[in-house]
Amino acid sequence: MEKIIRGLHQFQNNIFDSQKELFQRLAAGQKPEALFITCSDSRISPTLLTQTKPGDLFILRNAGNIIPPYGAANGGEGATIEYAVTALGIKDIIVCGHSHCGAMHGLLHQEALTNMPSVSSWLQHAESTRRIVLEKYPEQDEEDMVLNAVKENVLVQLENLRTHPSIATGLAMGKLKLHGWVYEIETGRVFAYQPDKKQFIHIQEVAPVIEGRSVAQAITI
Amino acid sequence: MEKIIRGLHQFQNNIFDSQKELFQRLAAGQKPEALFITCSDSRISPTLLTQTKPGDLFILRNAGNIIPPYGAANGGEGATIEYAVTALGIKDIIVCGHSHCGAMHGLLHQEALTNMPSVSSWLQHAESTRRIVLEKYPEQDEEDMVLNAVKENVLVQLENLRTHPSIATGLAMGKLKLHGWVYEIETGRVFAYQPDKKQFIHIQEVAPVIEGRSVAQAITI
Amino acid sequence: MEKIIRGLHQFQNNIFDSQKELFQRLAAGQKPEALFITCSDSRISPTLLTQTKPGDLFILRNAGNIIPPYGAANGGEGATIEYAVTALGIKDIIVCGHSHCGAMHGLLHQEALTNMPSVSSWLQHAESTRRIVLEKYPEQDEEDMVLNAVKENVLVQLENLRTHPSIATGLAMGKLKLHGWVYEIETGRVFAYQPDKKQFIHIQEVAPVIEGRSVAQAITI
Amino acid sequence: MEKIIRGLHQFQNNIFDSQKELFQRLAAGQKPEALFITCSDSRISPTLLTQTKPGDLFILRNAGNIIPPYGAANGGEGATIEYAVTALGIKDIIVCGHSHCGAMHGLLHQEALTNMPSVSSWLQHAESTRRIVLEKYPEQDEEDMVLNAVKENVLVQLENLRTHPSIATGLAMGKLKLHGWVYEIETGRVFAYQPDKKQFIHIQEVAPVIEGRSVAQAITI
Amino acid sequence: MEKIIRGLHQFQNNIFDSQKELFQRLAAGQKPEALFITCSDSRISPTLLTQTKPGDLFILRNAGNIIPPYGAANGGEGATIEYAVTALGIKDIIVCGHSHCGAMHGLLHQEALTNMPSVSSWLQHAESTRRIVLEKYPEQDEEDMVLNAVKENVLVQLENLRTHPSIATGLAMGKLKLHGWVYEIETGRVFAYQPDKKQFIHIQEVAPVIEGRSVAQAITI
Amino acid sequence: MEKIIRGLHQFQNNIFDSQKELFQRLAAGQKPEALFITCSDSRISPTLLTQTKPGDLFILRNAGNIIPPYGAANGGEGATIEYAVTALGIKDIIVCGHSHCGAMHGLLHQEALTNMPSVSSWLQHAESTRRIVLEKYPEQDEEDMVLNAVKENVLVQLENLRTHPSIATGLAMGKLKLHGWVYEIETGRVFAYQPDKKQFIHIQEVAPVIEGRSVAQAITI
Ligand SMILES: [Zn+2]
Ligand SMILES: [Zn+2]
Ligand SMILES: [Zn+2]
Ligand SMILES: [Zn+2]
Ligand SMILES: [Zn+2]
Ligand SMILES: [Zn+2]
C-alpha cells in the first residue's frame, strides 16, 4: 500500500495540475467514446493500451471479461451496460480478452477451483466457451488451449451481450456496434474479430487508418 | 472508435517498446499490490491516480463501485474478489467512490430510472446507502446529497464486502486490510475513511509518508 | 372434459390399432427429426402443420414460445433443449411463433397483466422484443404491431437460444441448425426467416423441394 | 428437415382448405376446453390421443411434464398455467405422464446426467418423486421403477401445481378440476388417478360415458 | 434490555437449579416430539401454550408462519424442516397461525408495505391466501377478513409444506402427520383444521383425550 | 402429539385464566422489547431463559440462527427483521447461539449432509464461520470446535445482519443496538460478546444491574 499511497501524493502534487482543465471540465459530466469491457487482470491498462484520456472510456472490469446473458445474473454487468447505452448513449462496445488469462485457465481446470466456489459458479457464464474449446481443439497443448479459450470466450460473451434489451434494440436499429478484441500482453498487439473471415486479425492489418475509413465498421460483428 | 484505434496503433508503434521488458515479465504472471474496486465512470483512471504500472492493481469496475453481499448476486463481483484474495493472495482492498457519481445520483432519483430496470435493480445493493442518506441528511441540496451518498456508499459496500467468506476469514486472521476512499475529480484529491474519527480525511493529512509508517494501517477499517 | 374423454375412447377403440406397429416400435425409444418450440396456443398443432407422425417431433411449448437465455431461468426450457441436443442428438431446432399470439399482445399491453404477475414476469424474457417493436414500428396499428412482435420475438428467442452451451457448441462445430418460423393461423402458411434478406419469407418460395435440395440449409440462421 | 418441409407443403396445399373455416374462426380467438400438460417426448401427440381439433387443448410441454412450485422457477410453466386459468378461464387441467419417459429414467440414474447439468438441475423439481420411488419400491426391476416414477411424478407435480395462486384459488372456489393421467405408449391406453382408490385406473373403467355423467368429476383430485 | 438481562440473572440464579437435571440430560442431545411452526409474534409462547418443557418442541418462527414451497426460497424454512424430519426423525408438524396476525393484516393491505419491501416480497409466498380471501369473503369487515386470512393461510402453507421432498416422502410412506392450527390470543383457545368437515374446530371438541385415542390422527390432513 | 394436546387442554383449563388480562390486553397489539433470533433447537426456550412474558420478545427461529445477508435469500429472515425494526420499532436485536448446536456440527461435517441438500445449501450462509473455524482453530477436538463455531457464527451472522437496510440505517442513526449471545444449555449461563475485549464474557460479569446502568450498552457491538 505504501507504493500506492506515494503514487497518490505524486499524482496530486505533480501530475494533477497539468490536467487540471480536463478534470474540471469532466467534473461537469462525462461523454465517453466507448464502453470497454475487460478482465480485472492487473496487466491490462485500457487507457495505456488505447492511449486515451480520462473521460474517453467507460470501463467494466471483472474476472474473465464475462457478461452473463440478460436475466442470468443480478451483478453489476447488466446494469453497467444498460447505463452505458441508455444513460450515456454509447455507440461502441468493446469486449477485450487477453493472453494468459487466469480466468480462462481456471475454466479449463475446474479441479483447481474447489476452494474458490464463487469463481467456479461465475465461470458457468463461460460454460459455452469451455465446451467449444474442448470439442474444437481437443489435442492442443496447454498454452494454445488457453489462448483459444480467450478468443472463443470473447465471441461467447458477445453472444451473451446481444441478449440484453438495450443492446438488442441498439443492434436492431443499427445504432450500436460490437467489437471483439484480444490483447496480447507480451507483444502489445491487439487482434480484432472479423466476422466475414471468422478469425481474429491483428488490428493494424484490418485498420488502414490512413484512408480515414472507420476501422470500427469493418470489424463490427 | 477512430480515436481509440489510432491510440492502439500509437501504443503498439511508439509506446510498447519502452515498456517491453515489463510486459514480457508480466506475461509470466501477475502479483498485484492491491485490489482496487471503483466505478465504471470514464473520468476515473486508477493507474493515473495512483501512478502505478501494469501489474500493480487488480481492478474491479462496475457502475457505482457496488459489491453485493455474499450470495446476493451471481455477477462477477464475488468471483473477482474471491480470485483476488484466494488465488492472488491480495492483502489490501480499496473501495473507491468518486464525486459526481451518476450511479449515486440515480440512487437518489429512482424516478429517473424507469427506462433502466437493470440499473434500478442493481442499486438495490445500495439501498442501505439510500436510506441512510435520506434519514441522515434530509435537508441538503442536491450536490451535497450526492457527495454524501458517495461517502456513505463506500461504507455500505465495505460492510457488504465483509460478508464474503474469503474476506471474513482474512479479516478474522488479521491478514487483510480494507480501505474506503473517495476520489474528488475536480481537485484530484483522495479522502480515506478513518474509523476512529468516523470521517473521510484528505489522505495527505493522515498519511505522512515521510515517517515511513504505513498509511494503510491507519486508515484500515 | 367429456369431449376429451370421449376422444380418448375413440382413439383407443378405433384409431390405435391402425398405428399399433408404429407405437410398439416407438415404445423401444424415440429418434425425433427436430426440436419444435412453439406457443401453448390451442390453435397450433405442430403435427398437423408438418404432417408428421408420433416420433417425429420433440416438442417444447409454453406461452409465447420463449426461451430464456442460459442461466436466466430454472424452468423447463433449458433442460428440454439440452436433453434434445445432448441426449437425443437433434440437429435442427425450429422456433415457431404464430399470428394473433396472446403472449405477444400481452407484451405490448403490460397494463392488462396486473392480475397475471407470473405472465408479466415471464415476458421479461421477451423484453428485447418489446423494445425493438416500440422503437422500430412506432406508428403501426394494433394488429400489425402484434404480428411484428411475433416476428421480432422469434429472432430474439433465437438469440437467447444461442447462449445455451449445448446450442453454442453445436453451432460452433457446424452440427446444428436453427430455424425461425411464423405460422399464420388464418391461411395455414408458414414464413421462415432468411438471414441474408433479413426477412420472413413464405416457405414455399424459399423451398423448392422438387430439386431435392435441403430447404433447411437455406433458411438456417 | 426435408420431411418436415414437405409436410408443411402438403398441409398448405392439400389439408388446410378442408379446415379453412375452423382456422378462420380460430383466428378471431381461442376458447380451449382444457390445459394439457405433458412431456416433450416425440411419441406423444395430445391431439391424436384425445381426438381433438385445433382450438381444443391449450398445451404445455417440457421434459418430464414437470411444474415447479410457485416461486421455485421463473421458466414458462407458472406463466403458462396462470395465462390458461386467468386469461382463458380454463376449468380443467390434465397432467399427463407417459410410459418409457426419458426424464424419469434420468431422475433415477442421475449419474448419467453429468454432461447435462440443466437437465439435472431441472429434475430437482421432481426430487420428491425420486425419493418416494426409492423408498416405496426399493426392490423393483428397472422398467417397473420407471413406470412407478412416472405415476408418482404425476402426483408430485399435481401437488406442485396446487401451490400456484391461480390454481389454489380456483380449487378453493370449486371452479377448477385437476386430472392426473398416465399414457401407455405401447397400448394407447390412458390411466387416470382416482384419489379414493389411491390408484391409477384404466380410464375406460372409470368413465361410463354412456350415462352422460362427467367422467372428469370422478377422477378429479 | 434491562428487563431481559434481569430475567437472565433470575433464570440463572433462581430457576436453572430446579431443572438442572433436565438441562444436563438435554446437553447430550434432543429428541423433540414435534416441529412447531408459528409466527414471530411476541404474543405467542409455544411452550406456554402446549405446556411443554425444553426438549419437547423443535420450533420454526418467522413473520406469518409462512413456508415457501420447495425451491421457492433459500431461507431457513426448507432447511429447518428438512433437519427436523431427516436428522431428528420428527413425525408430527404443526403449522400454527394466530388471531390478530400483523403479517396477515399486511397481506390484505399491501399499500401499507411500501417502506417494507422485504416484507412485501416475503408475502408473495402467501399470495394464494390473499387471493382466496378476496374471492371467498369479499364483503367482510376488517377483523373477520384478517381471521379468515389467518385460517386460509394455515391451509396454504400446509400445501406449500407438502412440496418439500422430505415431507412428500414422509406423507407417501404414512410416516408423517401434518396439523393445521389457529391460536386465539384473547381466549387461549386453539382451533384445529378437520379435513373431513373442511373447518377449523375448537380442539377440545375434536380431542376427547379421555378415550386415549390419538387426537392427532383425527386432525391430520 | 397426545402430550402436546393434553398440554393445550391444561393451558386452556388451568393456566389461561390467571393471565387472562395480559392476553386480552395483548389482543389489541404487541410492543415487544427486543427481537430475539435463535436456533430452532428444542432445548432453547427464549421466554424461560429471559424470564419474559408473552408480548416481550419478537422471536425469529431457524436451524442455526442464521441471517442471510440482504438480498442473499428470499426466506423469512429478512422480512421478519424488517418488520421488527420498521413496523414494531424494535431497538435491540439479540442473536443467540447455543452450545451443542446441530447446525454448527453439520457445518463442520458437510459429508454428513448428503441426504439433507436443503440444510447443506442453507449452511452456505455460514460459510464464513466454517472457514474461520478451520483456519483459526485447526487442531482442536470436536467439542471445542463446535463451541467455537457457535461463537464465530454469532459474529458472522451479526455481520450479515448489518447489510440489511433497516439495520444499517438504524445503526447509522444510533437508534439500534445489536447483541451477540451464546447460551450454554448445561449450565444455563449466557455469554455476551464484548467488542472491546473481542471475547464472549459471562453476562453476569459484564452486567452489574445493581448500578442501574444499561447492560445492553456495554455489550453492544
Ligand atoms: Zn483475465
Ligand atoms: Zn460513478
Ligand atoms: Zn401464442
Ligand atoms: Zn417423457
Ligand atoms: Zn403473526
Ligand atoms: Zn442449534
Side-chain angles (χ1 to χ4, degrees), chain F residues 73-90:
Chain F
N74 55 350
E77 290 75 23
T80 303
I81 289 162
E82 185 181 75
Y83 189 83
V85 173
T86 308
L88 300 177
I90 272 175

mmCIF file with all atom_site columns, all heavy atoms in Angstrom, chain F residues 73-90:
data_model
loop_
_atom_site.group_PDB
_atom_site.id
_atom_site.type_symbol
_atom_site.label_atom_id
_atom_site.label_alt_id
_atom_site.label_comp_id
_atom_site.label_asym_id
_atom_site.label_entity_id
_atom_site.label_seq_id
_atom_site.pdbx_PDB_ins_code
_atom_site.Cartn_x
_atom_site.Cartn_y
_atom_site.Cartn_z
_atom_site.occupancy
_atom_site.B_iso_or_equiv
_atom_site.pdbx_formal_charge
_atom_site.auth_seq_id
_atom_site.auth_comp_id
_atom_site.auth_asym_id
_atom_site.auth_atom_id
_atom_site.pdbx_PDB_model_num
ATOM 1   N N   . ALA F 1 73 ? -31.155 -14.181 0.202  1.00 0.00 ? 73 ALA F N   1
ATOM 2   C CA  . ALA F 1 73 ? -32.155 -15.232 0.361  1.00 0.00 ? 73 ALA F CA  1
ATOM 3   C C   . ALA F 1 73 ? -33.505 -14.557 0.391  1.00 0.00 ? 73 ALA F C   1
ATOM 4   O O   . ALA F 1 73 ? -33.648 -13.436 0.860  1.00 0.00 ? 73 ALA F O   1
ATOM 5   C CB  . ALA F 1 73 ? -31.930 -16.018 1.649  1.00 0.00 ? 73 ALA F CB  1
ATOM 6   N N   . ASN F 1 74 ? -34.508 -15.234 -0.134 1.00 0.00 ? 74 ASN F N   1
ATOM 7   C CA  . ASN F 1 74 ? -35.844 -14.677 -0.042 1.00 0.00 ? 74 ASN F CA  1
ATOM 8   C C   . ASN F 1 74 ? -36.710 -15.465 0.936  1.00 0.00 ? 74 ASN F C   1
ATOM 9   O O   . ASN F 1 74 ? -37.905 -15.617 0.757  1.00 0.00 ? 74 ASN F O   1
ATOM 10  C CB  . ASN F 1 74 ? -36.490 -14.568 -1.427 1.00 0.00 ? 74 ASN F CB  1
ATOM 11  C CG  . ASN F 1 74 ? -36.479 -15.900 -2.136 1.00 0.00 ? 74 ASN F CG  1
ATOM 12  O OD1 . ASN F 1 74 ? -35.841 -16.847 -1.688 1.00 0.00 ? 74 ASN F OD1 1
ATOM 13  N ND2 . ASN F 1 74 ? -37.193 -15.977 -3.226 1.00 0.00 ? 74 ASN F ND2 1
ATOM 14  N N   . GLY F 1 75 ? -36.062 -15.980 1.971  1.00 0.00 ? 75 GLY F N   1
ATOM 15  C CA  . GLY F 1 75 ? -36.790 -16.638 3.051  1.00 0.00 ? 75 GLY F CA  1
ATOM 16  C C   . GLY F 1 75 ? -37.305 -15.607 4.035  1.00 0.00 ? 75 GLY F C   1
ATOM 17  O O   . GLY F 1 75 ? -37.282 -14.404 3.780  1.00 0.00 ? 75 GLY F O   1
ATOM 18  N N   . GLY F 1 76 ? -37.748 -16.084 5.197  1.00 0.00 ? 76 GLY F N   1
ATOM 19  C CA  . GLY F 1 76 ? -38.422 -15.203 6.129  1.00 0.00 ? 76 GLY F CA  1
ATOM 20  C C   . GLY F 1 76 ? -37.520 -14.314 6.964  1.00 0.00 ? 76 GLY F C   1
ATOM 21  O O   . GLY F 1 76 ? -37.989 -13.391 7.620  1.00 0.00 ? 76 GLY F O   1
ATOM 22  N N   . GLU F 1 77 ? -36.215 -14.553 6.931  1.00 0.00 ? 77 GLU F N   1
ATOM 23  C CA  . GLU F 1 77 ? -35.345 -13.831 7.858  1.00 0.00 ? 77 GLU F CA  1
ATOM 24  C C   . GLU F 1 77 ? -35.366 -12.317 7.589  1.00 0.00 ? 77 GLU F C   1
ATOM 25  O O   . GLU F 1 77 ? -35.590 -11.523 8.505  1.00 0.00 ? 77 GLU F O   1
ATOM 26  C CB  . GLU F 1 77 ? -33.905 -14.370 7.758  1.00 0.00 ? 77 GLU F CB  1
ATOM 27  C CG  . GLU F 1 77 ? -33.738 -15.776 8.319  1.00 0.00 ? 77 GLU F CG  1
ATOM 28  C CD  . GLU F 1 77 ? -34.304 -16.869 7.409  1.00 0.00 ? 77 GLU F CD  1
ATOM 29  O OE1 . GLU F 1 77 ? -34.428 -16.619 6.195  1.00 0.00 ? 77 GLU F OE1 1
ATOM 30  O OE2 . GLU F 1 77 ? -34.627 -17.956 7.909  1.00 0.00 ? 77 GLU F OE2 1
ATOM 31  N N   . GLY F 1 78 ? -35.118 -11.931 6.362  1.00 0.00 ? 78 GLY F N   1
ATOM 32  C CA  . GLY F 1 78 ? -35.084 -10.502 6.045  1.00 0.00 ? 78 GLY F CA  1
ATOM 33  C C   . GLY F 1 78 ? -36.396 -9.809  6.351  1.00 0.00 ? 78 GLY F C   1
ATOM 34  O O   . GLY F 1 78 ? -36.422 -8.697  6.898  1.00 0.00 ? 78 GLY F O   1
ATOM 35  N N   . ALA F 1 79 ? -37.503 -10.459 6.014  1.00 0.00 ? 79 ALA F N   1
ATOM 36  C CA  . ALA F 1 79 ? -38.815 -9.861  6.227  1.00 0.00 ? 79 ALA F CA  1
ATOM 37  C C   . ALA F 1 79 ? -39.115 -9.727  7.721  1.00 0.00 ? 79 ALA F C   1
ATOM 38  O O   . ALA F 1 79 ? -39.648 -8.714  8.180  1.00 0.00 ? 79 ALA F O   1
ATOM 39  C CB  . ALA F 1 79 ? -39.891 -10.706 5.547  1.00 0.00 ? 79 ALA F CB  1
ATOM 40  N N   . THR F 1 80 ? -38.750 -10.737 8.474  1.00 0.00 ? 80 THR F N   1
ATOM 41  C CA  . THR F 1 80 ? -39.048 -10.724 9.908  1.00 0.00 ? 80 THR F CA  1
ATOM 42  C C   . THR F 1 80 ? -38.252 -9.614  10.596 1.00 0.00 ? 80 THR F C   1
ATOM 43  O O   . THR F 1 80 ? -38.766 -8.893  11.466 1.00 0.00 ? 80 THR F O   1
ATOM 44  C CB  . THR F 1 80 ? -38.736 -12.110 10.509 1.00 0.00 ? 80 THR F CB  1
ATOM 45  O OG1 . THR F 1 80 ? -39.503 -13.089 9.788  1.00 0.00 ? 80 THR F OG1 1
ATOM 46  C CG2 . THR F 1 80 ? -39.099 -12.161 11.978 1.00 0.00 ? 80 THR F CG2 1
ATOM 47  N N   . ILE F 1 81 ? -37.013 -9.475  10.193 1.00 0.00 ? 81 ILE F N   1
ATOM 48  C CA  . ILE F 1 81 ? -36.166 -8.414  10.744 1.00 0.00 ? 81 ILE F CA  1
ATOM 49  C C   . ILE F 1 81 ? -36.704 -7.036  10.354 1.00 0.00 ? 81 ILE F C   1
ATOM 50  O O   . ILE F 1 81 ? -36.799 -6.128  11.186 1.00 0.00 ? 81 ILE F O   1
ATOM 51  C CB  . ILE F 1 81 ? -34.716 -8.612  10.235 1.00 0.00 ? 81 ILE F CB  1
ATOM 52  C CG1 . ILE F 1 81 ? -34.096 -9.830  10.919 1.00 0.00 ? 81 ILE F CG1 1
ATOM 53  C CG2 . ILE F 1 81 ? -33.882 -7.365  10.446 1.00 0.00 ? 81 ILE F CG2 1
ATOM 54  C CD1 . ILE F 1 81 ? -32.874 -10.360 10.213 1.00 0.00 ? 81 ILE F CD1 1
ATOM 55  N N   . GLU F 1 82 ? -37.035 -6.880  9.097  1.00 0.00 ? 82 GLU F N   1
ATOM 56  C CA  . GLU F 1 82 ? -37.562 -5.600  8.623  1.00 0.00 ? 82 GLU F CA  1
ATOM 57  C C   . GLU F 1 82 ? -38.858 -5.241  9.356  1.00 0.00 ? 82 GLU F C   1
ATOM 58  O O   . GLU F 1 82 ? -39.069 -4.091  9.754  1.00 0.00 ? 82 GLU F O   1
ATOM 59  C CB  . GLU F 1 82 ? -37.823 -5.680  7.114  1.00 0.00 ? 82 GLU F CB  1
ATOM 60  C CG  . GLU F 1 82 ? -38.252 -4.383  6.478  1.00 0.00 ? 82 GLU F CG  1
ATOM 61  C CD  . GLU F 1 82 ? -38.507 -4.534  4.985  1.00 0.00 ? 82 GLU F CD  1
ATOM 62  O OE1 . GLU F 1 82 ? -39.551 -5.117  4.616  1.00 0.00 ? 82 GLU F OE1 1
ATOM 63  O OE2 . GLU F 1 82 ? -37.661 -4.104  4.182  1.00 0.00 ? 82 GLU F OE2 1
ATOM 64  N N   . TYR F 1 83 ? -39.714 -6.228  9.541  1.00 0.00 ? 83 TYR F N   1
ATOM 65  C CA  . TYR F 1 83 ? -40.975 -5.985  10.246 1.00 0.00 ? 83 TYR F CA  1
ATOM 66  C C   . TYR F 1 83 ? -40.705 -5.562  11.697 1.00 0.00 ? 83 TYR F C   1
ATOM 67  O O   . TYR F 1 83 ? -41.315 -4.614  12.203 1.00 0.00 ? 83 TYR F O   1
ATOM 68  C CB  . TYR F 1 83 ? -41.854 -7.240  10.210 1.00 0.00 ? 83 TYR F CB  1
ATOM 69  C CG  . TYR F 1 83 ? -43.251 -7.022  10.720 1.00 0.00 ? 83 TYR F CG  1
ATOM 70  C CD1 . TYR F 1 83 ? -44.234 -6.504  9.879  1.00 0.00 ? 83 TYR F CD1 1
ATOM 71  C CD2 . TYR F 1 83 ? -43.597 -7.317  12.035 1.00 0.00 ? 83 TYR F CD2 1
ATOM 72  C CE1 . TYR F 1 83 ? -45.526 -6.296  10.336 1.00 0.00 ? 83 TYR F CE1 1
ATOM 73  C CE2 . TYR F 1 83 ? -44.886 -7.107  12.505 1.00 0.00 ? 83 TYR F CE2 1
ATOM 74  C CZ  . TYR F 1 83 ? -45.849 -6.594  11.647 1.00 0.00 ? 83 TYR F CZ  1
ATOM 75  O OH  . TYR F 1 83 ? -47.126 -6.375  12.104 1.00 0.00 ? 83 TYR F OH  1
ATOM 76  N N   . ALA F 1 84 ? -39.766 -6.240  12.325 1.00 0.00 ? 84 ALA F N   1
ATOM 77  C CA  . ALA F 1 84 ? -39.451 -5.933  13.729 1.00 0.00 ? 84 ALA F CA  1
ATOM 78  C C   . ALA F 1 84 ? -38.963 -4.495  13.879 1.00 0.00 ? 84 ALA F C   1
ATOM 79  O O   . ALA F 1 84 ? -39.388 -3.758  14.765 1.00 0.00 ? 84 ALA F O   1
ATOM 80  C CB  . ALA F 1 84 ? -38.398 -6.905  14.260 1.00 0.00 ? 84 ALA F CB  1
ATOM 81  N N   . VAL F 1 85 ? -38.064 -4.088  12.972 1.00 0.00 ? 85 VAL F N   1
ATOM 82  C CA  . VAL F 1 85 ? -37.454 -2.766  13.091 1.00 0.00 ? 85 VAL F CA  1
ATOM 83  C C   . VAL F 1 85 ? -38.387 -1.665  12.581 1.00 0.00 ? 85 VAL F C   1
ATOM 84  O O   . VAL F 1 85 ? -38.575 -0.635  13.238 1.00 0.00 ? 85 VAL F O   1
ATOM 85  C CB  . VAL F 1 85 ? -36.102 -2.720  12.341 1.00 0.00 ? 85 VAL F CB  1
ATOM 86  C CG1 . VAL F 1 85 ? -35.533 -1.311  12.317 1.00 0.00 ? 85 VAL F CG1 1
ATOM 87  C CG2 . VAL F 1 85 ? -35.120 -3.682  12.995 1.00 0.00 ? 85 VAL F CG2 1
ATOM 88  N N   . THR F 1 86 ? -38.996 -1.904  11.416 1.00 0.00 ? 86 THR F N   1
ATOM 89  C CA  . THR F 1 86 ? -39.763 -0.842  10.770 1.00 0.00 ? 86 THR F CA  1
ATOM 90  C C   . THR F 1 86 ? -41.190 -0.751  11.306 1.00 0.00 ? 86 THR F C   1
ATOM 91  O O   . THR F 1 86 ? -41.688 0.341   11.597 1.00 0.00 ? 86 THR F O   1
ATOM 92  C CB  . THR F 1 86 ? -39.783 -1.068  9.237  1.00 0.00 ? 86 THR F CB  1
ATOM 93  O OG1 . THR F 1 86 ? -38.443 -1.238  8.789  1.00 0.00 ? 86 THR F OG1 1
ATOM 94  C CG2 . THR F 1 86 ? -40.421 0.105   8.518  1.00 0.00 ? 86 THR F CG2 1
ATOM 95  N N   . ALA F 1 87 ? -41.860 -1.892  11.440 1.00 0.00 ? 87 ALA F N   1
ATOM 96  C CA  . ALA F 1 87 ? -43.260 -1.848  11.870 1.00 0.00 ? 87 ALA F CA  1
ATOM 97  C C   . ALA F 1 87 ? -43.384 -1.777  13.388 1.00 0.00 ? 87 ALA F C   1
ATOM 98  O O   . ALA F 1 87 ? -44.255 -1.094  13.915 1.00 0.00 ? 87 ALA F O   1
ATOM 99  C CB  . ALA F 1 87 ? -44.035 -3.049  11.339 1.00 0.00 ? 87 ALA F CB  1
ATOM 100 N N   . LEU F 1 88 ? -42.501 -2.475  14.096 1.00 0.00 ? 88 LEU F N   1
ATOM 101 C CA  . LEU F 1 88 ? -42.625 -2.533  15.562 1.00 0.00 ? 88 LEU F CA  1
ATOM 102 C C   . LEU F 1 88 ? -41.682 -1.580  16.279 1.00 0.00 ? 88 LEU F C   1
ATOM 103 O O   . LEU F 1 88 ? -41.764 -1.412  17.493 1.00 0.00 ? 88 LEU F O   1
ATOM 104 C CB  . LEU F 1 88 ? -42.395 -3.965  16.055 1.00 0.00 ? 88 LEU F CB  1
ATOM 105 C CG  . LEU F 1 88 ? -43.364 -5.024  15.509 1.00 0.00 ? 88 LEU F CG  1
ATOM 106 C CD1 . LEU F 1 88 ? -42.973 -6.413  16.030 1.00 0.00 ? 88 LEU F CD1 1
ATOM 107 C CD2 . LEU F 1 88 ? -44.809 -4.709  15.914 1.00 0.00 ? 88 LEU F CD2 1
ATOM 108 N N   . GLY F 1 89 ? -40.758 -0.985  15.553 1.00 0.00 ? 89 GLY F N   1
ATOM 109 C CA  . GLY F 1 89 ? -39.849 -0.026  16.169 1.00 0.00 ? 89 GLY F CA  1
ATOM 110 C C   . GLY F 1 89 ? -38.884 -0.624  17.177 1.00 0.00 ? 89 GLY F C   1
ATOM 111 O O   . GLY F 1 89 ? -38.430 0.052   18.109 1.00 0.00 ? 89 GLY F O   1
ATOM 112 N N   . ILE F 1 90 ? -38.533 -1.860  16.980 1.00 0.00 ? 90 ILE F N   1
ATOM 113 C CA  . ILE F 1 90 ? -37.632 -2.535  17.927 1.00 0.00 ? 90 ILE F CA  1
ATOM 114 C C   . ILE F 1 90 ? -36.245 -1.887  17.922 1.00 0.00 ? 90 ILE F C   1
ATOM 115 O O   . ILE F 1 90 ? -35.739 -1.510  16.864 1.00 0.00 ? 90 ILE F O   1
ATOM 116 C CB  . ILE F 1 90 ? -37.592 -4.048  17.600 1.00 0.00 ? 90 ILE F CB  1
ATOM 117 C CG1 . ILE F 1 90 ? -38.735 -4.719  18.373 1.00 0.00 ? 90 ILE F CG1 1
ATOM 118 C CG2 . ILE F 1 90 ? -36.259 -4.669  17.924 1.00 0.00 ? 90 ILE F CG2 1
ATOM 119 C CD1 . ILE F 1 90 ? -38.908 -6.174  18.068 1.00 0.00 ? 90 ILE F CD1 1
#
